[in-house]
Amino acid sequence: MAILNKIRQRSLILILVIALALFAFVIQGVIDNPNAFSNTQGVVATVNGQDIDRVDFQQKVKNYQDRVGGRVTSTQAMNTIYSQELRKIVMENEYEALGLSVEKDEMRNLLKNSFQSYPEFQDENGNFDVNRLNAFIVNLKDLKGDTAPLGNFLVNYESWANNEQTIASNAIQQTYYNMIKAGVGATIAEAKDEYLADAKTADIRYVQVPYTSIADSLVEVSKSDVKAYMKAHEDKFKADASREVVYVEFKEEASKADEDAIKASLLALKSDRAEYNESSKNTDTIPGFDSAIDIEEFINSNSDIKYNDSFLRSAELSATVKDSLMNLEIGEYYGPYKDGEYFKLSKMIAVKQLPDSVKVRHILVPYIGGQRADASVTKTPEQAKATADSILAKIKSGTKFMDLLELSSDEVSNEKDGEIEFAYNAGMAPEFKAFSLENKVGDVDVVGTSFGYHVIEILEQKSVNNAYKIGTLARKIEPSDQTLQDVFNKMSKFEIAAKDGEFTELAKERELTAKPITFKELDENIPGLGSQRQVVRWAFEEDTDVGDYKNFPVSGFGFIVAKVVEKNDEGMMSVEDASVIAAPEIRKEKKATMIREKIKANTLDDIAKNQGQTVKTAAALTLKNTTLSGAGAEPKVIGTAFGLGQGESSQLIDGEKGVYMIEVTKVTEATELDNYTSIMNRLNTTIRNSVQTKVYQALEKAADIEDNRAKTVY
């Protein structure tokens, strides 16, 4: 009791202590995770103040993936939906600012244009009836989520409302872009310039002192040069946040011992083996490949690839082993041999001469549930078989095949007297093809397929050659449990050593390759390994620092150990990265200055003589074509030519490939046109066709976008 009294007396102190502890815990959480109380975890992005909700976004991604199946990765699906949502918000902001909307009457007209061909909305005369449309919509509401047929589709009220919204949105978008297109276009002056740029020509003489005349080693490019160039060309060097990572691969692949064991297991299947039977307490003899009677059952029970009972032509055999297989006698083996991801042991089962192509005629009797059977088919499989047998009996008793074609449901072949001609590798029903190829000309019989029962008569066979039936036991080449454990141990030892050693050197010592890769925050792929978002996410986590490393399992591959070697924040590139782009341009500028300093002459001929170059000519230059004959793309040089009169020479020009001087030897003026309207119309079409893309690009660039994808859904 004394203890309880003391606790009661100090209860206020205890409450304060607990409260302070909880407060400290919460504060520490906030320090560790500044976004703990923010709403960014539930917001994929904020565009012009409007949030893209995470739950809604993920549902749309799921719906999109369901529609496209497995043709896109999760990241690709997310990027697609993000682009759609971003465009929707950006454009709706524009529509709202302009007061664009679709009113009730206009919506009815849009629905009429979209659905007037549907019988559900037509009156007795085939005209669109708005009352039927209204009644259909009311009925959908009353169904409370259930579907109703519309054309070839089933729709409910939600899907109808979504469709209406899409139609309205498309109409507003069209109105918006039509307004912009109405305000843009070409003028007569622009049309005239367009014409002259192609019709006016100039002939020139020129001398080029190429930049290659000065060795790169003579031109120093310093960090300060690169920084100055970056400052003068900032747009070129803006960069997203990135992480440079180096990684080492540990592949889970079969060792030589594993491969030897797989080959030995295949060879062991050839002979009979004794096996103790627990049930009978006797030793049973299990037939091997040598003595197996049911080849198909034996192979299907012991192979990773099912038995193929077909006869194969030379072209259908594996190119690397077909000569060896074709030379086998009946019952002889070849292998084990490696073929792709498998070791195989093949046995020659039979050799037969078969045609490469065949012509047959047939009568098809379908049955209910057969492939392509329509509603008019009423026979059961047993009835269809009985009908086909009776047709065969009539043919064998002397009735002409042609006289019975009306009993066939194959309307396509009926138009050709029931005849079908196909090659051995055609995509025919296997039973149909086997009978046609493996029997003789003149044979006629009933053959069942997934389409029904056929009465087939073989009319002609061409190019008879050897075909081979080969039984093949295959085992996939996979690493053993011991090999998997060895790979894991090797990876673990490397990871432990990386704590104190230099990553790249450790890889080299272990005969591994350290591979570099640079990620942006929303990237996902590693060449050869596919989507590895787990690595990208880790590299961009706030508590992942330069020098940190981690192992990652890679499905179907093994493991990688990755190390962060550089973190680059959004902004300007590093000087080192920028120098790859900047250095060649800076070097070119410095070489131009050096070449100018060397040139003391004032005429083309003197410059050519003093600099060891030749004077070249170029004819029929136009402003539209920036290629200078003998030099390549030189827009500055050609632009200068059209700023000079005939007989005039230029100053020195710093071009793309060297320093130039030109002389205009001839100017051919263009013949003035009486009317430039056709050119203006063509320019108008070009300009207006590009409006939609350019306008949206400008709107997106101007939008205030806070992109949280990497933190919320990726």
Side-chain angles (χ1 to χ4, degrees):
M1 286 295 293
I3 294 173
L4 288 174
N5 285 331
K6 287 182 180 179
I7 290 175
R8 291 191 188 101
Q9 291 168 8
R10 296 189 174 114
S11 60
L12 180 60
I13 296 173
L14 285 172
I15 291 169
L16 287 173
V17 169
I18 293 170
L20 286 171
L22 287 171
F23 179 74
F25 176 77
V26 171
I27 288 298
Q28 183 61 45
V30 172
I31 293 171
D32 292 341
N33 181 12
N35 295 321
F37 292 108
S38 74
N39 194 37
T40 58
Q41 290 300 309
V43 177
V44 174
T46 302
V47 183
N48 292 337
Q50 184 173 338
D51 292 340
I52 298 176
D53 179 71
R54 179 174 180 266
V55 175
D56 181 59
F57 178 85
Q58 288 182 318
Q59 184 60 50
K60 289 177 179 176
V61 170
K62 181 182 181 302
N63 293 342
Y64 176 74
Q65 287 180 300
D66 290 342
R67 288 198 306 273
V68 301
R71 296 194 298 273
V72 297
T73 66
S74 298
T75 303
Q76 288 170 332
M78 290 179 190
N79 287 340
T80 298
I81 298 302
Y82 174 76
S83 296
Q84 291 176 1
E85 294 297 293
L86 175 61
R87 176 182 284 270
K88 179 183 175 184
I89 294 172
V90 167
M91 296 309 299
E92 284 180 351
N93 288 166
E94 285 293 293
Y95 306 152
E96 185 177 350
L98 294 170
L100 296 178
S101 63
V102 174
E103 301 305 320
K104 184 176 180 180
D105 290 343
E106 184 183 357
M107 190 68 225
R108 285 291 185 247
N109 286 330
L110 291 171
L111 291 174
K112 176 182 177 181
N113 293 335
S114 299
F115 296 105
Q116 60 185 344
S117 63
Y118 283 71
E120 290 89 342
F121 306 137
Q122 294 174 351
D123 60 20
E124 296 78 7
N125 299 318
N127 298 318
F128 179 76
D129 187 344
V130 68
N131 293 322
R132 297 195 178 201
L133 173 67
N134 293 336
F136 181 81
I137 296 172
V138 170
N139 181 54
L140 285 181
K141 286 183 179 178
D142 292 341
L143 289 175
K144 301 185 183 304
D146 290 339
T147 59
L150 178 61
N152 296 323
F153 307 98
L154 290 173
V155 297
N156 57 22
Y157 184 71
E158 182 182 0
S159 62
W160 176 268
N162 289 337
N163 192 39
E164 277 194 9
Q165 188 176 6
T166 300
I167 292 171
S169 178
N170 290 340
I172 295 174
Q173 178 178 280
Q174 191 62 49
T175 301
Y176 176 81
Y177 284 119
N178 285 343
M179 291 169 60
I180 295 175
K181 289 176 183 179
V184 299
T187 64
I188 291 292
E190 289 172 324
K192 188 173 182 180
D193 287 343
E194 173 77 6
Y195 167 71
L196 293 177
D198 204 26
K200 182 179 179 179
T201 64
D203 298 349
I204 67 169
R205 297 172 68 234
Y206 72 92
V207 62
Q208 177 206 53
V209 182
Y211 296 133
T212 53
S213 63
I214 299 176
D216 287 354
S217 59
L218 299 177
V219 183
E220 181 183 351
V221 177
S222 65
K223 282 190 175 181
S224 59
D225 291 330
V226 175
K227 288 179 180 178
Y229 188 87
M230 290 172 66
K231 188 173 182 180
H233 305 84
E234 286 188 357
D235 285 348
K236 276 188 178 182
F237 300 100
K238 287 181 179 177
D240 296 326
S242 65
R243 299 290 184 267
E244 186 177 335
V245 171
V246 63
Y247 68 96
V248 174
E249 300 174 346
F250 297 87
K251 296 182 182 180
E252 292 179 332
E253 53 189 6
S255 64
K256 185 179 183 303
D258 294 336
E259 292 190 353
D260 290 342
I262 294 169
K263 288 189 284 187
S265 70
L266 285 171
L267 290 171
L269 289 170
K270 289 174 62 178
S271 304
D272 297 348
R273 70 180 188 278
E275 186 175 284
Y276 182 72
N277 189 320
E278 286 287 350
S279 299
S280 64
K281 306 301 181 182
N282 294 320
T283 300
D284 297 336
T285 299
I286 308 300
F289 205 2
D290 287 335
S291 57
I293 297 173
D294 188 337
I295 298 295
E296 181 172 3
E297 193 278 333
F298 180 83
I299 290 177
N300 289 345
S301 299
N302 293 284
S303 175
D304 292 334
I305 298 177
K306 297 300 182 184
Y307 177 62
N308 181 0
D309 193 43
S310 303
F311 281 90
L312 304 175
R313 273 68 173 176
S314 167
E316 295 176 291
L317 300 175
S318 175
T320 56
V321 297
K322 71 176 181 179
D323 290 338
S324 299
L325 294 176
M326 289 164 58
N327 288 327
L328 293 175
E329 297 293 334
I330 304 297
E332 282 190 335
Y333 291 93
Y334 178 72
Y337 60 93
K338 183 181 283 190
D339 186 10
E341 298 180 336
Y342 297 87
F343 272 115
K344 295 180 178 180
L345 177 66
S346 294
K347 179 181 181 181
M348 184 63 71
I349 306 299
V351 179
K352 190 173 186 178
Q353 286 205 319
L354 295 176
D356 286 342
S357 65
V358 64
K359 181 194 287 187
V360 302
R361 58 186 172 197
H362 82 131
I363 293 170
L364 171 61
V365 183
Y367 52 76
I368 296 172
Q371 193 170 345
R372 297 183 190 170
D374 58 31
S376 64
V377 175
T378 58
K379 287 183 171 65
T380 65
E382 294 76 17
Q383 291 170 334
K385 173 69 164 60
T387 301
D389 288 339
S390 68
I391 293 171
L392 176 64
K394 289 180 182 179
I395 292 172
K396 288 188 173 181
S397 65
T399 304
K400 291 183 179 179
F401 201 103
M402 299 287 293
D403 294 339
L404 300 171
L405 278 179
E406 62 183 18
L407 300 175
S408 177
S409 71
D410 188 349
E411 296 177 1
V412 176
S413 67
N414 285 352
E415 293 178 0
K416 301 177 182 178
D417 297 333
E419 294 181 2
I420 300 175
E421 189 168 1
F422 59 91
Y424 73 88
N425 56 357
M428 305 289 291
E431 302 89 349
F432 192 106
K433 184 161 63 173
F435 175 82
S436 305
L437 293 171
E438 297 178 16
N439 292 282
K440 303 187 296 296
V441 172
D443 285 355
V444 57
D445 207 344
V446 172
V447 176
T449 72
S450 60
F451 295 91
Y453 285 92
H454 309 254
V455 181
I456 305 174
E457 181 182 5
I458 302 173
L459 301 176
E460 184 180 353
Q461 294 176 331
K462 297 178 182 178
S463 303
V464 176
N465 294 297
N466 276 351
Y468 309 89
K469 184 176 288 189
I470 298 171
T472 297
L473 291 166
R475 290 283 170 86
K476 191 167 185 179
I477 303 172
E478 294 179 321
S480 63
D481 290 343
Q482 182 59 53
T483 296
L484 294 176
Q485 186 61 49
D486 291 343
V487 171
F488 182 81
N489 291 340
K490 184 178 180 182
M491 180 273 294
S492 300
K493 289 177 181 177
F494 178 87
E495 195 175 14
I496 293 169
K499 183 177 180 180
D500 301 314
E502 204 286 318
F503 196 90
T504 304
E505 287 301 316
L506 284 171
K508 189 175 180 180
E509 289 171 9
R510 288 161 171 75
E511 298 182 343
L512 300 168
T513 302
K515 299 181 178 181
I517 188 168
T518 300
F519 293 118
K520 293 181 182 178
E521 196 168 12
L522 297 178
D523 288 346
E524 64 169 333
N525 288 321
I526 295 179
L529 300 179
S531 177
Q532 299 299 325
R533 273 295 301 170
Q534 55 179 343
V535 182
V536 182
R537 281 196 297 268
W538 165 76
F540 276 90
E541 287 174 359
E542 290 183 7
D543 57 354
T544 300
D545 296 321
V546 171
D548 288 355
Y549 58 90
K550 185 178 180 181
N551 78 73
F552 296 90
V554 179
S555 177
F557 180 86
F559 301 89
I560 64 170
V561 176
K563 177 184 178 181
V564 177
V565 295
E566 188 173 335
K567 294 173 71 171
N568 296 307
D569 295 329
E570 183 179 0
M572 297 294 286
M573 287 184 189
S574 67
V575 173
E576 290 74 17
D577 290 341
S579 64
V580 176
I581 301 170
E585 297 301 319
I586 297 168
R587 196 172 286 114
K588 188 192 296 183
E589 290 176 2
K590 291 193 172 189
K591 286 185 179 183
T593 301
M594 295 166 71
I595 290 171
R596 283 172 172 272
E597 290 172 351
K598 290 196 305 176
I599 295 175
K600 305 301 180 185
N602 296 317
T603 67
L604 266 72
D605 296 297
D606 289 343
I607 291 173
K609 183 178 179 182
N610 293 340
Q611 298 301 316
Q613 305 297 327
T614 59
V615 176
K616 299 176 182 177
T617 61
L621 299 177
T622 68
L623 273 173
K624 266 196 170 182
N625 187 353
T626 59
T627 301
L628 180 62
S629 176
E634 288 292 356
K636 281 187 183 178
V637 176
I638 291 174
T640 301
F642 283 91
L644 299 172
Q646 187 166 306
E648 291 182 341
S649 297
S650 71
Q651 300 296 314
L652 293 176
I653 307 163
D654 296 347
E656 295 296 318
K657 305 289 175 55
V659 176
Y660 296 80
M661 179 179 280
I662 66 172
E663 176 190 333
V664 178
T665 57
K666 181 182 177 182
V667 175
T668 304
E669 296 290 346
T671 302
E672 290 279 345
L673 299 179
D674 295 332
N675 192 314
Y676 293 93
T677 303
S678 62
I679 299 174
M680 185 177 71
N681 290 339
R682 175 167 53 82
L683 290 176
N684 280 337
T685 300
T686 302
I687 292 168
R688 288 167 183 168
N689 285 343
S690 65
V691 159
Q692 192 159 327
T693 300
K694 290 183 177 179
V695 166
Y696 178 71
Q697 288 173 345
L699 291 172
E700 184 180 341
K701 187 175 182 180
D704 181 12
I705 301 171
E706 182 184 341
D707 188 351
N708 303 315
R709 282 179 290 169
K711 300 179 180 66
T712 56
V713 293
Y714 280 46

